[in-house]
Every structure is written in C-alpha cells, then in structure tokens.
Amino acid sequence: MKTEYDIVIIGAGPAGLSAAIAAAESGQSILILDNNPQAGGQIWRAGPVFPVPETARQKYRQIQASPHIECLFGAKIVAAPFAGQLLVERTNDSLNLSYKQLIICSGARELFLPFPGWTLPGVTGAGGLQALIKAGTPVANERIVIAGSGPLLLASADTAQKAGAQVLHVAEQASHSAVYRFAFQLWRWPAKIMQALSLPYRLYQPDSYVIEAFGQERLEGVRLQTAKGIIEVECDRLACGFGLVPNVQLGQLMGCQIKDNAIMVDQYQRSSQPHIFAAGECTGFGGSELAMVEGEIAGYAAIAAYEKARQLFAQRQRYQIFARLLAQSFRLRHELKTLARPETVFCRCEDVTFDQVAGRENWVDAKLHTRCGMGACQGSTCATAAACLFGWKLPDARPPLLPTRVKSLMSMAVTSLKQK
C-alpha cells in the first residue's frame, strides 16, 4: 500500500467514517486507520449474531463505493516522529505514513473505579461485556448484574438479554430524581425516547451501586447499596462501568491542547495544532449522533468546505445540549470514591494496592514509587481512575503510545536519520 495521503483519519467509528465520507467529496486521497479488525468502533461493533444498525451499513456502503478512501485495519499508532508523519505498527510489519491533514476520531474508553473484588474473573466493564458477547462469548442462562452509570448500562443489559442471559439488576448510581429529570427532557430528542423504550428499562434501579464483588476462584455474587439498604445478589457475571473517558493520548502526543480531559477544538473541530482536527468522543462524550455530525464538520473543514461545515452547526448544537444533559444527570456520587479498601488492587497490571497509591502526591510520584501504570495497559485504566479519585492530572503521552516491537522503533530511527 502507499504511504502518503492527503488526509489520514484515526478511528473507524461513527465520527471517523462520517469525516471520511465528507472529505471524499474533494477527491483527495484519504486513509482510515483503526486498531480493530473491522470498521464500526465500539458502538457499531458487529458479531456472529449481532448485525450492525442500518445507519452503519449505509456508512460502510458509502466508504466502499468511494475510490478516494482506503482503510487500514489491525494497525496501531506507535509514535508521531515528525509533523505530518505517523509510525504505524501492524501484525507483521510497520509503516511510516505521511499526511497533509489529520483527523483524530479515537473515541473513548470506560472509566473503572476500584472496589473490593473488581479483579475477580467474571467482572468486566459494561462495554466490555457487550464486546465479549458480540465476539461470540456464550452467556446463555448466566446470571448477570450490571452496575455503574450512564446509558451504556441499559445497552449492555439489552445485548446480554438478547444473547440469552438472565439479567438480574441494572444498578444506576445516579439518584431517582436525576434520572427522572433526564427522562422528562428527552422529548426534545424523539429518537432517544424510542431507543430508551426499546431497552430493558424495567430492570433499571437508580440510587444503586456496587460496593463489593465476592467469590473464591471467580465471581460468585455482589453486594449492592440500594435506596432500601444493602442487598446481596448471587451471579455469574458483573459488568461495571462508571461512564466514558475520552481517548486523548494521540492528541497529547501531537501537542493538541487538552481541556477537561478532552481534546479542545474550535467550531470547525480544529485542534490547537495546525492541520489537526478532532471529532467524536475524544472531544467529549455525547453519543453516536453527535459524533457523526462532528465528524462531518471536521471532514468538510479539512477540505476547506467551510460553508457545508457551517450548515451542520445547528444540528451539532442540538446534540451538544443532550451531551451536557447526560453529564449533569449522571455525575458520579462521592461514595464511589470511597469503595476501595487499603488492600484493594488499584493497578491490575502491576498488583499495586490502593493504599500504596493513595498516599502519593501525583501520578508521577505514584509511578516512580510503586510501578503503577507501568504494565501492559500503560496506565489507561489506573491513571484515569486516579484522575477521578484524587484529582490528579492525566499523564502526558510519550512514544511509544502502546507496547510495541523493537523492529518498529528501529524503523522510526531510520526515518529520523533520513530526515536529517
């Protein structure tokens, strides 16, 4: 494949696909790059018995029909050695890609907060459960509890039920009043009402949150704090997620300004760095509809089609209002920050306990003294939790962004010598 493109788009989710379709109108060469084996991102992840929605299929058809768009899957960005260049690693080789415009649509990841038993086999994220089921993990007749915060809980419950699981509880930490206020304002987005009514909302229990998971070799049950007191539920799986956090590491690496733990953009989705745009959940969580319209705006702006971009501003604002409503309604309660015990594992990669981290001054101090964040995930889980629990600044991104092969780093060194 070639290695020079006019526009490179990072992420093949709703925002990235929408950006590519908009930018393709210019006839410029476009590459969509994603670490997953196929398009769709987390929200449109397909599986053997879970087809993608029609909106996604329409996007796929448009991508396939365009002679100007190429896709590279199963590829991860390791570094950005120079302006306009990316070092990309694939299964068997690495590439140095060059671009004139870059659109970052790197999405978001789940926020995990530590509590006793959260490392037991059988405990996953809410989105992680969805991904496992869609990939073919059998859950038929399994007893599942889903806990945490946000709309993803009901979506995960729906996926589990359709796969034959017995969903026992959907524990939402937000209060009844906050959830009711949120529901009463959905009339402004009729499609959202239809989505909500199609989900297993009768299982939904606000004012409830997990305080402990227990079991010997694997998960056997959970203890939930509810409005009526603590209850104990025997189950086979616990899916727990406390919302989503923007993936900003690539933006950090490129020098983009970060605000409120999201990539900061202007009205055209331009970042603080020239020729770099960002769209979707890496700029803040707001759902697939917001991600798609932001992607379109970024795609048009990248080809200087500013009038077409401006025509989408009102639609974006409408979904931004919904995003702010989400953030206000599902703000995390303080009690969730006190669930971990001193001996609770905080960094799963390095087996660092909560008390070892809680006494440090900041993330760098914790990392230097405990090896926290030095494992395979490079702090993507524990650094985000520390930011939430202790108010610490997220660590700056450094190359390599992910664990990588020495051969890939050697290719970056060769490129550096050629540049000199």
Side-chain angles (χ1 to χ4, degrees):
M1 64 174 290
K2 65 180 185 179
T3 58
E4 297 182 1
Y5 295 88
D6 293 312
I7 301 172
V8 171
I9 298 171
I10 309 301
L17 298 179
S18 299
I21 292 166
E25 295 181 12
S26 68
Q28 297 181 51
S29 60
I30 299 169
L31 175 68
I32 304 174
L33 188 152
D34 200 293
N35 193 21
N36 291 300
Q38 59 187 8
Q42 297 300 322
I43 195 166
W44 287 341
R45 183 186 293 269
V49 295
F50 286 91
V52 297
E54 178 56 30
T55 301
R57 288 196 289 269
Q58 290 176 1
K59 298 285 185 186
Y60 297 165
R61 289 192 289 266
Q62 288 176 281
I63 295 292
Q64 292 168 355
S66 174
H68 308 297
I69 302 174
E70 295 180 39
C71 296
L72 179 61
F73 298 117
K76 63 182 181 182
I77 297 175
V78 175
F82 299 99
Q85 286 196 341
L86 296 171
L87 174 61
V88 178
E89 185 178 271
R90 300 189 293 185
T91 303
N92 299 313
D93 63 1
S94 59
L95 301 168
N96 282 284
L97 299 178
S98 63
Y99 61 86
K100 296 178 182 176
Q101 308 274 8
L102 180 70
I103 305 177
I104 302 175
C105 303
S106 51
R109 62 183 184 276
E110 286 190 270
L111 170 63
F112 298 101
L113 297 179
F115 55 86
W118 75 302
T119 58
L120 280 171
V123 181
T124 65
L129 175 66
Q130 268 195 316
L132 286 170
I133 294 173
K134 289 182 177 181
T137 299
V139 295
N141 300 318
E142 289 191 355
R143 302 163 300 170
I144 296 179
V145 172
I146 298 174
S149 192
L152 183 57
L153 303 186
L154 279 174
S156 297
D158 183 59
T159 300
Q161 281 193 329
K162 288 178 178 176
Q166 182 184 358
V167 180
L168 304 178
H169 287 269
V170 179
E172 166 60 60
Q173 62 86 38
S175 67
H176 282 87
S177 59
V179 172
Y180 289 153
R181 284 196 300 269
F182 173 76
F184 289 150
Q185 296 186 63
L186 285 182
W187 61 268
R188 290 183 284 179
W189 302 276
K192 296 291 185 183
I193 296 178
M194 299 307 297
Q195 289 176 14
L197 292 176
S198 68
L199 299 175
Y201 61 89
R202 292 180 179 84
L203 295 170
Y204 197 62
Q205 297 293 326
D207 254 327
S208 303
Y209 55 92
V210 61
I211 55 176
E212 183 177 7
F214 58 88
Q216 296 299 318
E217 299 298 323
R218 58 166 291 117
L219 178 71
E220 296 174 9
V222 299
R223 292 186 181 93
L224 299 172
Q225 178 69 58
T226 73
K228 297 180 179 180
I230 296 176
I231 63 171
E232 193 168 294
V233 182
E234 293 183 357
C235 60
D236 304 300
R237 289 184 185 270
L238 168 63
C240 196
F242 296 95
L244 298 174
V245 180
N247 277 325
V248 300
Q249 288 89 341
L250 180 59
Q252 286 180 316
L253 188 69
M254 309 297 287
C256 299
Q257 186 174 351
I258 307 298
K259 182 179 180 181
D260 297 329
N261 293 333
I263 299 176
M264 188 175 176
V265 294
D266 67 7
Q267 61 180 346
Y268 291 105
Q269 302 295 138
R270 281 185 298 228
S271 76
S272 60
Q273 291 296 313
H275 312 298
I276 298 179
F277 300 78
E281 293 176 352
C282 62
T283 65
F285 176 65
S288 60
E289 294 89 352
L290 177 58
M292 285 187 285
V293 70
E294 287 181 346
E296 282 189 80
I297 292 172
Y300 283 131
I303 61 172
Y306 298 115
E307 179 56 35
K308 288 187 174 181
R310 284 192 291 270
Q311 292 174 7
L312 296 166
F313 284 2
Q315 184 180 352
R316 178 182 58 189
Q317 184 180 26
R318 183 164 168 262
Y319 286 116
Q320 284 175 334
I321 294 172
F322 176 76
R324 288 194 289 272
L325 178 62
L326 272 177
Q328 294 166 3
S329 302
F330 297 98
R331 186 177 290 111
L332 297 182
R333 61 174 66 209
H334 176 74
E335 291 91 329
L336 299 176
K337 299 181 180 182
T338 63
L339 297 178
R341 297 170 184 161
E343 70 276 10
T344 300
V345 171
F346 185 81
C347 173
R348 295 181 295 185
C349 296
E350 297 293 329
D351 287 332
V352 179
T353 59
F354 182 80
D355 64 334
Q356 290 177 292
V357 176
R360 309 319 317 182
E361 294 184 1
N362 52 47
W363 174 253
V364 174
D365 185 33
K367 190 172 182 180
L368 288 174
H369 286 86
T370 69
R371 291 190 54 83
C372 186
M374 297 182 71
C377 85
Q378 291 293 284
S380 62
T381 298
C382 53
T384 309
C388 178
L389 297 181
F390 312 129
W392 292 349
K393 179 180 175 294
L394 285 174
D396 294 329
R398 296 184 301 173
L401 284 178
L402 298 168
T404 188
R405 297 188 296 263
V406 173
K407 187 176 181 181
S408 298
L409 297 178
M410 290 173 62
S411 72
M412 183 172 68
V414 171
T415 303
S416 299
L417 290 173
K418 290 181 179 178
Q419 291 285 338
K420 294 178 181 180

